[in-house]
Amino acid sequence: MVALALTAVLTLAAGQAVRPMSYEAVVRCAGLTQAASELEGGESREGRLLYDAALYWSLTAIQVAQASGRAATAAEADQTRARIRAVGELTSRAPEVAAELQRCRERTPRLG
């Protein structure tokens, strides 16, 4: 319940319609954006945007984890596993993974 409330607040802060995300979905977005950021590198505008998205989702995953009684260290380990998985998926250029990454990016607030 607390996690849903936190997610709703974060979503409202992003200026988007309230559609709470599960912890697993938040971790998935963290993993996808972290992997995409690593693969792109930070030199381009796209790389900087991906880095911002990865930072947002990583912090959100830790907050949602803590709100639902999970330890921050567990959230970090979950994100690491999600990132490793996502690197392989993004490297394979599967269209459904690219679409999933795009949905995560659409839910990311503008950070700068």
Side-chain angles (χ1 to χ4, degrees), residues 35-101:
S37 175
E38 288 176 14
L39 293 169
E40 178 67 27
E43 299 300 316
S44 67
R45 180 177 189 280
E46 180 71 7
R48 289 188 298 276
L49 291 172
L50 285 165
Y51 177 84
D52 287 349
L55 179 60
Y56 169 78
W57 287 110
S58 178
L59 294 173
T60 301
I62 291 171
Q63 289 179 329
V64 172
Q66 290 173 335
S68 63
R70 292 177 174 89
T73 54
E76 290 170 5
D78 290 343
Q79 288 180 63
T80 297
R81 284 188 293 277
R83 178 183 48 78
I84 291 167
R85 175 180 163 213
V87 166
E89 292 172 336
L90 290 169
T91 302
S92 74
R93 301 194 184 277
E96 63 275 5
V97 177
E100 192 175 4
L101 172 61

